[in-house]
Amino acid sequence: MEDHRVTLRVCDRRGRKAIHEKVQEVVYLRDDVFAVQDQAWGDGDIFAEYSCSPGVVVDRYKEGFRWKTLISLRATRHAGDHDVIRTRRVILNGFTTSVCNFQTQIDHPHRSLSIGVVFPSGRLPRSVSLVEQNTRRVVELSSVHEHLLPGGDVEYRWSTQKVKLFEAYIIRWEW
């Protein structure tokens, strides 16, 4: 079981540069784990930059519409060991349309999920919603989910303690 926090920061008013950051607290359930897999998809150059900690990227390949990044942990983990795995990607030209989506896919158990998008002060969204793809549940994000950040940027963040396995959680916005 683990906690999962993912954030997209749209860096400019035209959506030409964004930073995707993911932090997952992991407790290994079996012995002899030496690599983990990260997945990514989307529009634009989704790997303009990529970094991870712990570990190093040793392979990247496409499976269907998703890219899989294999991360060598550089040490063997055993059942009960704990890590905080961080990934950071710069995305170029990925959020340039009037309606955009930011998604995370749940493919293993999590205790909690927090997903958010930070919008630049010069271009705030007209509407923001959270979509649970499989259940087709839609929640309009309101001022309860909105946080003014230093410098005038605005973050919309949604969280749950009831994470559904194999669900896709999508933040959709219009601007």
Side-chain angles (χ1 to χ4, degrees), residues 104-153:
T104 193
Q105 179 79 36
I106 304 303
D107 59 3
H108 52 279
H110 296 277
R111 277 191 311 240
S112 66
L113 169 67
S114 177
I115 180 172
V117 178
V118 177
F119 297 96
S121 61
R123 189 172 185 198
L124 300 180
R126 291 194 314 250
S127 66
V128 182
S129 57
L130 183 282
V131 178
E132 293 178 33
Q133 184 175 349
N134 295 340
T135 61
R136 300 183 190 273
R137 180 175 171 246
V138 178
V139 176
E140 294 298 323
L141 300 188
S142 65
S143 58
V144 173
H145 302 95
E146 182 181 321
H147 309 281
L148 181 62
L149 302 177
D153 292 349

Side-chain angles (χ1 to χ4, degrees), residues 37-133:
Q37 184 175 266
D38 187 24
Q39 58 183 349
W41 57 92
D43 296 327
D45 181 358
I46 65 172
F47 294 110
E49 295 176 27
Y50 186 95
S51 60
C52 59
S53 173
V56 297
V57 174
V58 294
D59 194 14
R60 181 170 292 135
Y61 58 95
K62 195 167 188 180
E63 189 174 87
F65 69 91
R66 289 189 176 107
W67 284 93
K68 306 285 183 139
T69 300
L70 185 63
I71 300 168
S72 168
L73 295 172
R74 311 302 285 172
T76 302
R77 305 306 199 267
H78 303 285
D81 286 352
H82 178 271
D83 268 331
V84 176
I85 298 175
R86 301 172 190 276
T87 60
R88 182 182 186 275
R89 293 188 290 122
V90 173
I91 303 165
L92 299 179
N93 299 312
F95 301 94
T96 58
T97 59
S98 61
V99 177
C100 297
N101 295 301
F102 172 57
Q103 174 178 331
T104 193
Q105 179 79 36
I106 304 303
D107 59 3
H108 52 279
H110 296 277
R111 277 191 311 240
S112 66
L113 169 67
S114 177
I115 180 172
V117 178
V118 177
F119 297 96
S121 61
R123 189 172 185 198
L124 300 180
R126 291 194 314 250
S127 66
V128 182
S129 57
L130 183 282
V131 178
E132 293 178 33
Q133 184 175 349

